[in-house]
Amino acid sequence: MATIVVIDDRVTGRNILTRLARSVEEGIQVHAFASPSEALTRMTSDLSPDLVITDFNMPEMDGATLIGKIRAHDRLADVPIVVITVYEDKEFRYRALEAGATDFLLSPVDHLEFRARARNLLSLRRQRQMLARRAAELEMALQERSGALAQIEDAVSVLLDRLPVAISTTDERGRILFVNRAYEALFGVERAQILGRPLIEVHGEEFATRHGVLDAKVRESGQPLLVPRFDTMLGATGLRWLAVTKGLLAERPGGPERVVTVALDISELKVAETQEGVAARHDPLTGLETLPWFRERLEQTIARARRRNELFALLHLDLDRFKGVNEAFGEETGDKLLRAVARRLSSRLRETDRIARLRSDEFVILQTEISRPDDAAELCRRLGEAFAEPFHADGQEIHLSASIGVTLFPTDGRTAETLLKNADLAMYRAKASGRDAYRFFAREMNLAARRAVTLERELRQALAADQFLVYYQPQMELKTRRIVGVEALVRWNHPHRGLLRPGEFIRMAEEIGLIAPLTAWVLQTACAQHRRWLDRGLGPLQLSVNLSPVQFRERGVELLIERVLKETGLSPHQLDVELTENAIIEHSQTALASLRYLHQLGVSLSLDDFGTGYSSLAYVKRLPVRRLKIDQSFVQNLEHSVNDEVIVRAIINLGHSLGLTVIAEGVETAGQLARLEEFGCDEVQGDFLSPPLSAGEFEQRMLDNRWF
């Protein structure tokens, strides 16, 4: 018998949630509390809930604080927690999820959605408890029969094969090492044919990518996924809904880390949910499909279109200025208008098209069986004609119009989430163009899209055709006026557009996965050139090379640097790596590990663009950096802006208080140089000293000692 705890300081909300909780299953026990503290006291003493439903905004303590205290108790660490909130701001969702919430619902709560999610979470809870009991039984058997290892292994295999959940194990390379019978049945595979093969070969790229990301997260954190992830797959019997959790299986300290995945098929619960009545599928106001039912159909359409290489369109229609209609004529009249709009829109659709009410005065339409984008444009024109005649409600003649956004599969996106987002964006572009119009997601941005496609193609060709160059900009020590360093800057010698600066192509290189090979080439080229200069007696100089934040998503960049240094014969102490604050903060664990490795190796580290990111003193103190680099945006206005002067002084003082060297970039005038020297800045670089130069030009300048 399941137990649900409801926490809400409002009597009405508490009563509604209690009634809903009791309707989830027969015989369910519900304990309702107005006080979070009282609920916490009971749960940590004599009350063991299987599910907690709590309001977020409570005067005594908010939902995030309550969840954190619940998760602090070992006995309650894995209890599912659903947060109810009227806030749609993502910040509240993130706070709840970061504290350990399993899921959240917006108030007022949709009754059918509440029951479905509660059933799913309770079912997953039971499966976890059953697995825990079976694991405990197995542990006892292991202790009693420690000498019969072969028999125990057989027992484990039999036990796992009898469990009604799909279980699999993968190694660090994504290869499948074990599956049970439930896995074979769910995915329609035979273990003898898939063991040892990568996920991508067995289940395709999308499946392998999704699970590869989750596996990496488990390995990096060393913690299981306490919050289940919901997934869909197209099996032999159609679309299946899965609740997935993962954990780490380390055979011995320092041994290979294997990830165990447990997938529970909850498709029958989904079917049972829809069988509760037509109301589960249809919006009570307009009679149109509800969004959850529409999304399920959209997922099925995507799977079918992917197999058959078909085209379809997704339309997002929003009534223009409908809020003013509600304010002028009242919500009752507004509801009648929405019903009339729904009838007219439906009359313009084919039997194969689907329409759902997204929210309030917004609708989504799925147009299948089309052969070209113009078919979607024709539907937009038909829908626009639905508003040519006025609507009548309560004796009022009301004129309406609509803005429509269109996105296409597969050209604009290949997932339901992407398509819905793109259609929404296109709709807002239609509104921005004056309303009563339609816009295609791709066509609205076709110029930028074509440029991006062209740039991507040219970038891939450029790397293979050796079109990139490395330019060098000197760095001067202010006290001695000596050149003490040089920064390597990549340039693209475009065959048609000439010499391009990084701002014109680096972002695209990051997006399409070329930043790693491009950085490796720049590092190799610059280190080899620097070694040649040192051999010719030009120096001593320190070489600075920039690294992209993208390269800190995973470990490995430090190994690249170590390899290049060995190949070129350059000492680690002669290399300075420049990186931005965001590169560290966005990927703090992996980034800090890489930086510490480089620091121990002897490589110098500089914090680039300082002052434009988080600029957290706590982060600066934690980092093994040698230099702070003042962003050029502060230097450019140094002679005319008091605020920038204050910022520059503060950065210099901060750097010196931490024992760091401070360098200013973008110095373009003698006045800027004088001010920086007055403030005690250590080093400078910029066009006033010298613009970036080719290797030959830089070498000649060094020999001639011609600067300024």
Side-chain angles (χ1 to χ4, degrees):
M1 182 181 298
T3 300
I4 297 180
V5 168
V6 171
I7 308 170
D8 195 329
D9 62 297
R10 297 168 298 122
V11 175
T12 303
R14 191 165 63 251
N15 291 340
I16 292 174
L17 294 176
T18 300
R19 286 197 299 272
L20 285 174
R22 286 173 178 160
S23 69
V24 171
E25 294 176 356
E26 282 189 20
I28 204 161
Q29 290 188 353
V30 181
H31 297 267
F33 299 90
S35 165
S37 298
E38 182 182 353
L40 187 62
T41 301
R42 284 291 309 279
M43 287 189 288
T44 55
S45 57
D46 61 342
L47 181 59
S48 298
D50 297 297
L51 176 63
V52 176
I53 313 289
T54 179
D55 187 28
F56 185 92
N57 187 28
M58 295 179 288
E60 187 177 333
M61 71 175 74
D62 62 25
T65 304
L66 173 62
I67 294 167
K69 292 185 176 182
I70 292 175
R71 294 295 185 220
H73 292 266
D74 293 340
R75 188 168 56 82
L76 304 175
D78 63 345
V79 174
I81 303 175
V82 178
V83 178
I84 310 293
T85 176
V86 297
Y87 296 101
E88 296 187 8
D89 192 325
K90 290 184 178 179
E91 179 185 352
F92 293 93
R93 304 180 192 178
Y94 293 156
R95 286 182 57 198
L97 291 173
E98 288 174 356
T102 308
D103 206 346
F104 62 88
L105 291 170
L106 293 179
S107 179
V109 175
D110 182 282
H111 294 186
L112 295 172
E113 185 179 11
F114 178 97
R115 294 191 189 98
R117 295 197 184 188
R119 287 195 192 100
N120 290 345
L121 291 172
L122 288 174
S123 176
L124 190 61
R125 171 80 167 163
R126 293 188 184 100
Q127 292 292 338
R128 282 182 173 175
Q129 291 174 332
M130 182 181 70
L131 286 172
R133 289 194 299 271
R134 296 287 177 86
E137 294 169 3
L138 180 60
E139 184 177 358
M140 291 180 62
L142 287 171
Q143 293 174 351
E144 295 172 358
R145 304 169 61 185
S146 58
L149 181 59
Q151 295 180 11
I152 291 174
E153 289 178 347
D154 291 341
V156 172
S157 179
V158 171
L159 170 63
L160 295 178
D161 276 340
R162 288 180 178 177
L163 291 176
V165 291
I167 302 175
S168 63
T169 304
T170 54
D171 64 8
E172 293 179 340
R173 296 169 60 185
R175 296 177 301 184
I176 302 172
L177 303 181
F178 169 83
V179 298
N180 66 347
R181 287 182 182 175
Y183 189 101
E184 290 179 291
L186 177 63
F187 290 94
V189 297
E190 295 183 12
R191 70 179 80 182
Q193 297 178 356
I194 67 171
L195 292 183
R197 294 173 57 192
L199 280 173
I200 191 171
E201 290 184 9
V202 179
H203 298 299
E205 183 177 356
E206 288 191 11
F207 184 98
T209 300
R210 289 198 306 271
H211 286 264
V213 170
L214 293 177
D215 289 352
K217 181 177 181 180
V218 170
R219 289 192 181 93
E220 180 181 344
S221 65
Q223 300 295 322
L225 296 179
L226 294 178
V227 179
R229 305 300 173 95
F230 295 97
D231 198 3
T232 58
M233 58 155 285
L234 192 64
T237 58
L239 186 69
R240 309 302 294 174
W241 293 80
L242 308 176
V244 178
T245 187
K246 293 176 178 285
L248 196 62
L249 177 64
E251 295 183 344
R252 64 182 182 277
E257 293 182 334
R258 301 178 178 182
V259 174
V260 179
T261 301
V262 178
L264 173 65
D265 188 352
I266 59 172
S267 303
E268 301 306 320
L269 291 174
K270 285 285 184 179
V271 173
E273 171 193 345
T274 59
Q275 289 176 345
E276 288 185 355
V278 178
R281 305 182 185 182
H282 296 279
D283 172 49
L285 177 63
T286 62
L288 300 179
E289 290 183 355
T290 58
L291 183 59
W293 184 255
F294 180 87
R295 283 186 67 114
E296 187 170 333
R297 291 294 177 265
L298 177 58
E299 295 278 6
Q300 293 175 349
T301 301
I302 291 172
R304 184 176 62 251
R306 187 178 291 119
R307 289 197 314 272
R308 300 177 181 177
N309 197 27
E310 293 178 342
L311 177 72
F312 70 80
L314 184 68
L315 286 68
H316 186 144
L317 184 147
D318 180 77
L319 300 181
D320 297 328
R321 302 183 180 91
F322 188 77
K323 182 180 179 182
V325 173
N326 271 339
E327 293 173 350
F329 301 103
E331 291 188 3
E332 184 176 348
T333 300
D335 288 346
K336 292 179 180 179
L337 279 174
L338 287 175
R339 284 192 287 269
V341 168
R343 287 193 295 270
R344 282 202 195 176
L345 293 177
S346 300
S347 68
R348 264 65 177 183
L349 302 179
R350 304 167 302 169
E351 291 184 2
T352 55
D353 299 331
R354 311 191 74 90
I355 181 172
R357 185 185 179 206
L358 180 60
R359 53 184 169 265
S360 184
D361 59 339
E362 298 178 52
F363 304 85
V364 282
I365 299 163
L366 179 61
Q367 183 189 21
T368 58
E369 299 182 7
I370 65 175
S371 58
R372 53 183 185 152
D374 286 348
D375 294 335
E378 176 58 30
L379 175 58
C380 290
R381 286 190 287 270
R382 292 203 309 270
L383 295 174
E385 291 171 358
F387 298 92
E389 296 293 328
F391 293 85
H392 298 274
D394 295 333
Q396 303 288 338
E397 183 177 277
I398 302 173
H399 291 266
L400 293 175
S401 64
S403 298
I404 306 173
V406 186
T407 191
L408 300 173
F409 175 93
T411 54
D412 297 339
R414 294 177 175 268
T415 66
E417 195 68 31
T418 300
L419 292 171
L420 287 167
K421 179 188 68 176
N422 290 348
D424 182 61
L425 177 61
M427 180 272 293
Y428 278 107
R429 295 297 176 91
K431 281 190 177 295
S433 67
R435 295 183 169 87
D436 192 17
Y438 67 87
R439 290 290 183 271
F440 278 77
F441 172 78
R443 291 186 178 180
E444 177 65 15
M445 297 171 283
N446 59 357
L447 181 58
R450 283 200 300 270
R451 287 176 178 170
V453 170
T454 302
L455 180 61
E456 178 179 349
R457 184 182 67 252
E458 292 177 341
L459 262 175
R460 295 187 187 279
Q461 295 171 348
L463 199 59
D466 294 329
Q467 293 177 3
F468 291 104
L469 303 171
V470 177
Y471 271 48
Y472 302 88
Q473 187 169 41
Q475 298 171 335
M476 183 181 72
E477 186 179 57
L478 280 174
K479 285 184 178 179
T480 62
R481 289 298 198 271
R482 289 188 305 106
I483 303 301
V484 294
V486 57
E487 181 178 2
L489 300 166
V490 66
R491 295 291 187 266
W492 180 6
N493 189 18
H494 194 283
H496 306 297
R497 298 167 59 191
L499 207 61
L500 302 183
R501 299 171 67 87
E504 299 181 70
F505 60 87
I506 286 295
R507 184 180 296 273
M508 174 61 73
E510 292 174 338
E511 292 176 358
I512 65 176
L514 282 182
I515 193 64
L518 179 57
T519 300
W521 179 86
V522 171
L523 184 66
Q524 180 80 32
T525 302
C527 287
Q529 178 63 63
H530 196 58
R531 179 69 264 172
R532 288 193 292 271
W533 284 334
L534 293 175
D535 292 342
R536 295 172 187 172
L538 296 179
L541 299 176
Q542 188 168 55
L543 173 67
S544 294
V545 178
N546 289 279
L547 290 185
S548 165
V550 175
Q551 295 180 275
F552 285 92
R553 290 176 182 167
E554 300 178 359
R555 293 291 301 272
V557 66
E558 68 278 17
L559 302 180
L560 165 68
I561 293 173
E562 186 176 24
R563 176 178 59 80
V564 170
L565 289 174
K566 288 182 179 178
E567 291 177 355
T568 59
L570 195 66
S571 168
H573 299 283
Q574 293 165 332
L575 177 64
D576 177 73
V577 171
E578 294 189 5
L579 62 160
T580 63
E581 298 163 272
N582 292 351
I584 306 162
I585 294 174
E586 290 175 5
H587 316 290
S588 57
Q589 291 185 349
T590 53
L592 284 173
S594 297
L595 295 183
R596 291 190 182 110
Y597 185 93
L598 291 173
H599 179 67
Q600 292 173 359
L601 188 65
V603 173
S604 172
L605 302 170
S606 295
L607 205 53
D608 197 9
D609 299 339
F610 192 79
T612 61
Y614 293 90
S615 301
S616 168
L617 179 60
Y619 267 94
V620 175
K621 289 171 61 179
R622 290 173 56 192
L623 302 177
V625 299
R626 185 184 71 85
R627 293 195 307 179
L628 295 183
K629 199 167 189 180
I630 304 174
D631 186 71
Q632 61 183 346
S633 62
F634 301 119
V635 176
Q636 288 173 352
N637 297 320
L638 192 57
E639 298 174 87
H640 312 291
S641 171
V642 175
N643 290 336
D644 286 346
E645 178 180 323
V646 171
I647 292 172
V648 170
R649 283 180 180 271
I651 294 175
I652 294 173
N653 291 334
L654 170 64
H656 289 169
S657 67
L658 296 175
L660 305 178
T661 299
V662 181
I663 179 173
E665 63 179 344
V667 178
E668 298 178 351
T669 67
Q672 294 169 357
L673 184 70
R675 299 293 281 166
L676 289 167
E677 189 170 18
E678 176 188 343
F679 299 159
C681 188
D682 301 301
E683 299 172 3
V684 295
Q685 78 178 79
D687 287 357
F688 179 72
L689 176 63
S690 171
L693 304 169
S694 67
E697 291 173 328
F698 181 84
E699 181 175 334
Q700 191 61 49
R701 286 278 193 97
M702 285 292 294
L703 292 172
D704 297 341
N705 195 24
R706 291 185 294 106
W707 307 106
F708 297 100

